[in-house]
Amino acid sequence: MSSIDTDVGRRTGQANPGPSWRERLTKALPIFVLVPSLAASFVYIFVFTSWTLYISLSNSSLLPSYGFVGLDNYASLWSNRRWNIAYSNLFFFSAFYIVGAMAIGLALAILIDQRVRGEAMWRTIFLYPLAVSFIVTGTVWSWLYNPVDGIQMLVRSLGWTNFNFALASDRNTAIYAIIITGIWQSSGFAMALFLAGLRSVDQDLIKAAQIDGASTFRTYRKVILPVIAPIFLAVAVIQIQFAIKTFDLVAALTRGGPGISTTFPAIYVYDLMFQRGQIGEGAAAAMMMLAALAVVLVPYSFYVVWRHRKESRHG
């Protein structure tokens, strides 16, 4: 309230009314909306993570137990052959999955960026796999990989009776079946991000390169792609998150088999906690997955903050 309003109020003998209850409610509404979500997020992230960490340090088996055993569960975990195979599969899958999805996504984005006819239709087609859950994708592709009634049966019915396509049934090639399926699922997502980046490039830079006589390939390589370099990093980080948390795709496609050849950390965590009743070791495996995510997300968060401050100073 200003001093003029106060003087007027004193002269008239009436105090200015404060904000109405509707104004106060309008100001408080964002708080009412955000507090439940923030509280739930706090419990979900920090409370449950802290509880999982403590369970990983306890002697819990079928039910939670709070006897402290230190790092015994972690030592047991890393001495387990299946866990080492799961982590090796994660690195192998991540390398090919991320590079493949980004390469195909970038290629599709560049093709669509040429203002092709039916652009909206092509974008919809390439983005469609993103609308399908990983469990549905894995189920459908498991039918395609099935030697009895999948691609192998179709090709043999056309006359190539010696054709073999048991990609998901062979322990030596099953991991490649998961990689191919994952790339099919995620390349459209990478395409969307890359296309958004390509469309945001300053047209004056492109016109200047064309005036200098640069070819289309050289314009993309020397001008456009360096400008959208932060998008490459963002896409890679998101794809790494998808790779680390891979569960439903593998569960539907191979169920970790044949044998244990396609076991992933998330599959092993589920098996320890809900199949074997080894909650302590399962919690330790879950914490190792969280550590892998933190290795990716924490540096990226610092990079985003640093880049934002740098742009603010120069802006």
Side-chain angles (χ1 to χ4, degrees):
M1 190 185 305
S2 66
S3 59
I4 297 177
D5 293 338
T6 304
D7 293 339
V8 172
R10 288 175 179 174
R11 292 172 185 175
T12 59
Q14 296 179 353
N16 286 334
S20 66
W21 66 271
R22 288 188 177 182
E23 292 175 344
R24 291 195 296 266
L25 180 61
T26 301
K27 291 180 179 180
L29 185 59
I31 299 176
F32 292 147
V33 172
L34 290 175
V35 165
S37 299
L38 293 176
S41 299
F42 177 82
V43 172
Y44 180 76
I45 296 174
F46 295 102
V47 176
F48 288 169
T49 299
S50 300
W51 186 81
T52 302
L53 175 61
Y54 186 81
I55 291 298
S56 71
L57 302 173
S58 70
N59 58 354
S60 300
S61 55
L62 184 60
L63 295 173
S65 176
Y66 301 102
F68 186 76
V69 295
L71 300 177
D72 289 356
N73 288 322
Y74 292 90
S76 175
L77 180 69
W78 284 103
S79 63
N80 189 298
R81 176 172 173 267
R82 187 181 177 190
W83 172 255
N84 285 282
I85 290 176
Y87 234 71
S88 299
N89 285 339
L90 176 61
F91 282 104
F92 186 83
F93 168 79
S94 299
F96 286 93
Y97 162 74
I98 294 167
V99 173
M102 291 181 65
I104 294 177
L106 179 61
L108 293 175
I110 292 176
L111 290 175
I112 293 178
D113 192 44
Q114 308 308 308
R115 311 291 178 177
V116 296
R117 180 177 299 178
E119 177 183 325
M121 179 192 70
W122 291 114
R123 282 205 311 263
T124 302
I125 291 174
F126 295 140
L127 276 174
Y128 178 75
L130 187 63
V132 181
S133 66
F134 276 109
I135 192 71
V136 174
T137 297
T139 301
V140 172
W141 279 80
S142 67
W143 298 338
L144 296 176
Y145 291 136
N146 192 324
V148 177
D149 51 10
I151 295 176
Q152 177 174 300
M153 183 274 295
L154 175 63
V155 175
R156 287 186 177 185
S157 66
L158 296 176
W160 289 277
T161 56
N162 294 326
F163 178 79
N164 292 311
F165 189 76
L167 200 64
S169 304
D170 188 338
R171 64 184 304 116
N172 295 317
T173 59
I175 188 70
Y176 297 104
I178 299 173
I179 292 171
I180 293 172
T181 308
I183 291 174
W184 179 86
Q185 173 86 13
S186 300
S187 57
F189 172 75
M191 178 214 69
L193 294 183
F194 283 132
L195 183 60
L198 293 174
R199 294 288 168 82
S200 67
V201 176
D202 189 353
Q203 292 299 313
D204 291 338
L205 294 175
I206 300 176
K207 291 178 180 178
Q210 293 173 345
I211 292 174
D212 289 340
S215 63
T216 301
F217 174 78
R218 188 174 180 83
T219 300
Y220 273 97
R221 187 168 66 91
K222 293 291 188 178
V223 179
I224 299 177
L225 296 185
V227 171
I228 66 171
I231 296 180
F232 280 86
L233 181 59
V235 173
V237 169
I238 295 172
Q239 300 287 25
I240 290 172
Q241 293 181 64
F242 289 162
I244 293 174
K245 297 183 293 184
T246 298
F247 172 79
D248 37 8
L249 180 63
V250 180
L253 196 57
T254 64
R255 295 176 178 81
I260 59 174
S261 60
T262 58
T263 299
F264 278 65
I267 294 288
Y268 191 50
V269 169
Y270 176 84
D271 185 53
L272 285 173
M273 286 191 164
F274 301 106
Q275 301 294 328
R276 302 186 182 185
Q278 299 177 4
I279 294 180
E281 191 169 335
M287 293 306 300
M288 295 308 304
M289 290 182 61
L290 179 62
L293 282 171
V295 168
V296 176
L297 294 179
V298 172
Y300 180 70
S301 300
F302 282 114
Y303 166 77
V304 171
V305 173
W306 170 81
R307 184 175 179 83
H308 176 72
R309 291 180 177 177
K310 181 180 178 181
E311 291 177 350
S312 299
R313 287 195 299 265
H314 288 83

